[in-house]
Amino acid sequence: MRGRECKLRVTVGVKRLLDCPLQGKSIYTKLKWGHRTLWGGRDDATQPVVCKDRNVVWNEAFTSECVVFVAEEQERDDPDARARILARQPSSGFLRLSVRKDSGKGMQAHKRYGFLNVYIIDWALAYGGPPPPGEEGHTVRRLLDGTKSTSYFEVQVAIQWLGPMPAS
């Protein structure tokens, strides 16, 4: 399998959490960039916000540079531009968005409400182009994993290739 490493600059705007049952609780999002064992990783977090009317609104943006591995399919006759084999080998192109309930008691453990795992290369191939007119990035709404409720997590994604984009 052939492929190469590509560098990306990723800006993730943590917008809001919809249909959250933790009414009146203080909620924040922790962003974990990269794999800890290979790349060291990095953590960012939003400010805690109180859940009102089953919604939490943050509107905070975070930027990180990462390395992803793109492996191209051996078939060159495939007309689909996105028909690539994604090599999920360890790279720094991983992001976990973890939604947590703030305990407000300093260094005590914060209860995790749900999470969203993202392979950055998936988003880069889907949203790596220019954003829609008048917007800073592509708005993505996903169902939160790890929870029994149907909470939707909304983020805004802007991805910039720091080198040549892989051939389609």
Side-chain angles (χ1 to χ4, degrees), residues 22-27 47-53 55-57:
L22 302 175
Q23 189 71 18
K25 304 292 184 190
S26 185
I27 310 283
Q47 294 296 317
V49 175
V50 176
C51 179
K52 296 178 186 173
D53 298 327
N55 292 322
V56 182
V57 180

Side-chain angles (χ1 to χ4, degrees), residues 26-47:
S26 185
I27 310 283
Y28 72 99
T29 300
K30 185 174 185 178
L31 292 84
K32 297 180 181 179
W33 300 90
H35 288 280
R36 302 269 178 272
T37 55
L38 295 173
W39 298 88
R42 192 181 105 219
D43 292 348
D44 288 318
T46 63
Q47 294 296 317

